Amino acid sequence: MHRFANPTRFLKIAGYVQPWMAAVTLALFATGLYMAFFTAPPDYQQGESVRIMYVHVPAAWMGMFCYAAMAIASAVALIWKHPLADVAAKATAPVGAAFTFLALATGSLWGKPMWGTWWVWDARLTSMLILLFLYIGYMALQGAFDDRARGAKASAVLALVGAVNLPIIKFSVDWWNTLHQPASVIKMDGPSIHPDMLWPLLIMAVGFKTYYMWVLLVRIRQEITANKVRILRLKQVHGG
Amino acid sequence: MAKFMELVKRDLALAFRQGMDSLMVVAFFIIAVVLFPFGVGPEVNTLAKIAGGTIWVAALLSSMLSLERLFQTDYDDGSLELLALAPIPLEVTVLAKVVAHWLTTGLPLIITAPLLAVLMQLPMDGFGTLILALALGTPTLSLIGAVGAALILGSRRGGVLLSLLVLPLYIPILIFGVSAVDAAIFDEAVRPHMLFLGALFVGALALTPWAAAAGLRQALE
Amino acid sequence: MTKPSSNQFWGEDLTCVRGERIVFQSLNFELTPGGALILIGPNGSGKSSLLRMMAGLLQPAGGKMLWAEEAGEPEDASQDMDLHGGRLHYVGHHDAVKPVLTAAENIGFWARIRGGGEDTIHESLDVFDIKHLYDVPGRFMSAGQKRRVNLARIIAAPAPLWLLDEPTTALDKATIKRLEDAIQRHRDGGGMVVLSTHSDVDTPGSKTLNLADFASKAPLDEHVMV
């Protein structure tokens, strides 16, 4: 009976893993940022502003990764009714939304020197913007019910619907973009990227991943504690 | 099939006797489009350029307006429980309600669209395509909207929440719908855009009743 | 009435969780042909939840419900909701009477999607003495009249199992008597009835299930529901 799954074991393991995750994340960020700022070469066209890429690109990746993680956790929650999956999906949403927002903000900062404007309806940025809307919808739905279980189930269905739709949205935005004279899109994932640029990018990407794991653990533990408090309150009311 | 028609007939009867729903949707559609000339100026070329997009965006919003009630009244008066308990798969019930919703909102929108196209100075070449694209796209709007309408049942803020859930999912339909009209005006191939609209419709037809039924089941628990 | 059926319906070790609270657990019930089960218990003890669970609207958090036809193997009733839904009539707190449809249209719709015909509408109206409401739209009806229309609905298309949640709400004495008679006829034909009630409904030979006996005793500290 998953509904009564005992989170004590999870809490124990999470307690061990969490400081390690924090340490790895900080180390990776320190190395990645140092390389991004000092060892990576400036771009021959874009100059120093290309260094935004080391935050922008991993953030964009994480925005999509978190949505996928959320959809998978939602599927697990719906099919196997595993309670930790519900909590994991719930905990992932704001993190993913924050990454997506970071990608949009850095994209906008990057766009100013590149295009001379803060916002360009570039296919990539537009897709990220819609992804942010999907996150906002998910979080809004989750919080819209008095009964937490209902919010969790409804938003899990929405996450799956969104996951099916994302490739379609991505495709249609690309299509739309090619119809309206494509903006000079920055090529950042071409195969010919220089190793001096690739290494800091990858280190930052892994750093973002471990950061996500770290925050996820913190948020899940927090959620479980909040649940305990709520159940104590319920016991007060119902004398259970 | 007889039971399916029974469900559609009931929803149509309710819509017609409850009165103004369809008319209000059409009225909103017209007013929303008419706002644009005030916003961008009545210059013929400007209007012609944005006509297709404006009409599509307004159609999207009008179709969404009436979605909130798709399951809400049945949910409030207990009918939804009985529909779920009827010996008909809930997915089929959802589909019947979507058909009724489209007949009472999508279809009137399509009929009104040519009038608005005239007001918006849409070039004559685009008329046929606009209607055809709307005919292919509006059922998909109703299908996707049904999922949103099922998920918000019993929530604290229905209407605004629904638009937040559904509008991002409408974007592909908007893109292909408008690009079809534009292609017709600029004498380019309309077919690929229409095929995508058709594909979206078929995909939505296959998947959304299932998702909406899942949403309804958890709403009834 | 249709030929006497001999279905059986029972539940084993049922647990109900609502809003992170165990409402009842280790609950067993059994219904045999012609049987009636009266649910009693204080507010919040889970009478409505149990009825919704029996209907398949609410999934049990634990345990299972089984249904057996005359000689067939018992099957899990919560597996196929459409099939199970066809075997039962559920009367909940809401009357599902549409304000713009007449009594006949309201009842007729529910009968037709269950394969019933027009001829049963008159008969069902007669059972609850509301023939005069035949072409009266729901918006003109009082609460008691709506309830009677809702009850007439379950007469119009037969189903072996009746699940009635507080069916006597808003009914006068004479109508409660009519309901008792209808339940008796249903049981005489082999039908089964489960009903929850605060007032007395006369159902001879019925069993009583006190939900308070199955309230959760185990503290939740050990196994916190996430």
Side-chain angles (χ1 to χ4, degrees):
Chain A
M1 276 222 296
H2 283 309
R3 286 198 84 106
F4 303 97
N6 191 340
T8 316
R9 193 158 38 113
F10 172 83
L11 283 175
K12 219 175 186 176
I13 298 170
Y16 283 123
V17 178
Q18 193 183 311
W20 286 102
M21 277 297 170
V24 171
T25 304
L26 291 176
L28 283 169
F29 274 176
T31 326
L33 284 175
Y34 176 80
M35 288 173 82
F37 277 115
F38 300 108
T39 66
D43 190 79
Y44 75 100
Q45 267 183 323
Q46 305 172 25
E48 300 294 340
S49 68
V50 76
R51 297 187 197 282
I52 296 178
M53 176 183 78
Y54 300 107
V55 175
H56 172 76
V57 174
W61 283 344
M62 284 310 290
M64 290 181 274
F65 175 85
C66 285
Y67 202 91
M70 205 170 82
I72 293 169
S74 299
V76 172
L78 281 179
I79 299 167
W80 290 289
K81 302 197 164 38
H82 197 288
L84 274 179
D86 254 345
V87 181
K90 188 184 176 190
T92 299
V95 187
F99 279 129
T100 309
F101 181 76
L102 184 64
L104 283 170
T106 50
S108 166
L109 287 176
W110 199 359
K112 183 63 181 163
M114 287 304 303
W115 297 311
T117 165
W118 293 109
W119 181 261
V120 176
W121 289 95
D122 155 73
R124 238 179 260 272
L125 282 178
T126 310
S127 293
M128 290 310 281
L129 184 62
I130 299 172
L131 181 64
L132 184 63
F133 292 149
L134 291 181
Y135 274 121
I136 292 172
Y138 176 91
M139 292 188 286
L141 184 64
Q142 185 153 54
F145 295 93
D146 292 323
D147 178 5
R148 274 179 67 261
R150 274 238 38 215
K153 273 189 200 161
S155 54
V157 174
L158 181 71
L160 290 180
V161 172
V164 172
N165 258 280
L166 263 181
I168 302 171
I169 291 173
K170 182 96 184 69
F171 172 77
S172 59
V173 168
D174 287 347
W175 171 278
W176 162 79
N177 201 244
T178 50
L179 286 178
H180 304 86
Q181 67 273 357
S184 58
V185 184
I186 309 156
K187 242 183 98 191
M188 50 191 147
D189 51 0
S192 59
I193 190 165
H194 193 276
D196 283 350
M197 296 168 90
L198 188 62
W199 274 112
L201 187 60
L202 286 179
I203 290 173
M204 285 303 285
V206 177
F208 270 49
K209 284 245 156 50
T210 53
Y211 171 79
Y212 162 65
M213 302 295 257
W214 174 23
V215 175
L216 187 66
L217 288 178
V218 173
R219 288 186 57 89
I220 291 179
R221 292 175 73 181
Q222 194 185 354
E223 187 76 14
I224 291 174
T225 315
N227 280 345
K228 280 186 176 163
V229 172
R230 196 172 32 243
I231 283 168
L232 286 175
R233 286 233 182 99
L234 276 170
K235 278 177 65 182
Q236 273 184 338
V237 177
H238 296 289
Chain B
M1 196 60 202
K3 288 175 183 173
F4 182 81
M5 291 313 294
E6 201 60 53
L7 287 163
V8 176
K9 261 162 49 192
R10 166 183 179 263
D11 268 31
L12 288 181
L14 289 175
F16 286 128
R17 290 196 210 167
Q18 236 127 274
M20 312 293 286
D21 273 15
S22 293
L23 278 177
M24 299 236 297
V25 168
V26 169
F28 175 84
F29 184 42
I30 296 171
I31 291 172
V33 171
V34 165
L35 286 179
F36 279 83
F38 294 108
V40 298
E43 210 257 316
V44 174
N45 286 332
T46 318
L47 289 182
K49 207 171 166 199
I50 62 164
T54 311
I55 292 171
W56 260 103
V57 170
L60 234 70
L61 295 175
S62 337
S63 161
M64 198 198 62
L65 266 188
S66 54
L67 273 174
E68 197 188 345
R69 292 169 58 82
L70 184 59
F71 300 116
Q72 190 69 50
T73 43
D74 280 339
Y75 178 78
D76 290 340
D77 71 9
S79 300
L80 198 59
E81 292 171 344
L82 301 184
L83 285 173
L85 291 173
I88 305 169
L90 196 50
E91 289 78 6
V92 176
T93 309
V94 168
L95 205 57
K97 290 188 87 67
V98 168
V99 169
H101 178 260
W102 182 77
L103 287 173
T104 49
T105 60
L107 197 58
L109 292 184
I110 297 172
I111 296 168
T112 327
L115 170 73
L116 293 173
V118 172
L119 291 182
M120 289 299 288
Q121 314 287 351
L122 184 81
M124 276 317 258
D125 300 333
F127 272 62
T129 311
L130 175 69
I131 291 168
L132 215 63
L134 280 171
L136 261 176
T138 45
T140 320
L141 298 180
S142 297
L143 283 166
I144 296 177
V147 181
L151 290 178
I152 60 153
L153 287 176
S155 73
R156 267 180 260 118
R157 18 175 200 275
V160 188
L161 183 61
L162 179 65
S163 53
L164 207 55
L165 304 188
V166 163
L167 286 180
L169 303 178
Y170 278 177
I171 289 172
I173 304 161
L174 178 64
I175 288 174
F176 291 116
V178 176
S179 61
V181 178
D182 284 351
I185 295 172
F186 296 114
D187 212 17
E188 289 162 14
V190 173
R191 219 174 115 81
H193 310 275
M194 287 297 190
L195 286 178
F196 281 122
L197 278 179
L200 288 175
F201 172 61
V202 172
L205 192 62
L207 294 176
T208 53
W210 181 82
L216 290 181
R217 286 202 184 92
Q218 56 91 17
L220 289 172
E221 271 215 346
Chain C
M1 279 255 109
T2 47
K3 73 177 172 67
S5 55
S6 50
N7 305 293
Q8 287 192 56
F9 182 47
W10 68 98
E12 295 170 359
D13 198 22
L14 293 169
T15 303
C16 171
V17 176
R18 297 297 281 163
E20 302 168 275
R21 185 173 72 93
I22 298 177
V23 180
F24 56 75
Q25 60 185 17
S26 316
L27 185 145
N28 299 305
F29 71 87
E30 188 188 14
L31 275 167
T32 47
L37 190 62
I38 312 293
L39 307 181
I40 57 169
N43 284 336
S45 60
K47 300 187 291 291
S48 294
S49 295
L50 180 58
L51 282 163
R52 294 179 71 82
M53 195 179 275
M54 288 174 174
L57 289 168
L58 179 63
Q59 289 296 312
K64 57 182 173 180
M65 290 179 302
L66 294 148
W67 179 275
E69 305 280 325
E70 304 186 21
E73 285 288 299
E75 50 180 301
D76 195 336
S78 55
Q79 281 307 317
D80 189 341
M81 194 173 154
D82 302 316
L83 182 68
H84 187 58
R87 297 169 182 145
L88 61 90
H89 274 304
Y90 170 76
V91 174
H93 292 250
H94 301 291
D95 285 323
V97 174
K98 289 287 171 192
V100 291
L101 299 183
T102 66
E105 285 168 328
N106 271 300
I107 297 168
F109 167 73
W110 295 113
R112 279 192 299 276
I113 62 168
R114 285 172 170 270
E118 298 295 317
D119 46 327
T120 54
I121 297 176
H122 284 280
E123 179 201 324
S124 66
L125 288 170
D126 205 25
V127 168
F128 290 101
D129 194 23
I130 41 173
K131 275 196 153 154
H132 56 287
L133 295 180
Y134 185 85
D135 51 7
V136 175
R139 64 171 173 276
F140 297 123
M141 294 179 199
S142 68
Q145 286 172 325
K146 278 187 192 161
R147 168 89 352 174
R148 282 193 270 176
V149 169
N150 191 15
L151 288 169
R153 165 180 70 81
I154 72 175
I155 309 277
L161 176 61
W162 287 3
L163 303 171
L164 314 176
D165 197 356
E166 308 270 359
T168 52
T169 309
L171 294 186
D172 53 28
K173 278 219 172 71
T175 317
I176 293 177
K177 181 75 181 68
R178 284 174 177 271
L179 176 64
E180 286 166 353
D181 294 345
I183 289 173
Q184 193 54 50
R185 276 197 300 279
H186 178 62
R187 292 171 63 195
D188 290 344
M192 301 179 277
V193 179
V194 183
L195 66 91
S196 70
T197 181
H198 280 306
S199 57
D200 278 333
V201 180
D202 186 27
T203 47
S206 62
K207 282 183 277 189
T208 302
L209 192 67
N210 188 348
L211 272 292
D213 298 342
F214 303 96
S216 167
K217 285 158 199 93
L220 286 169
D221 309 54
E222 292 291 309
H223 293 276
V224 176
M225 281 172 292
V226 185

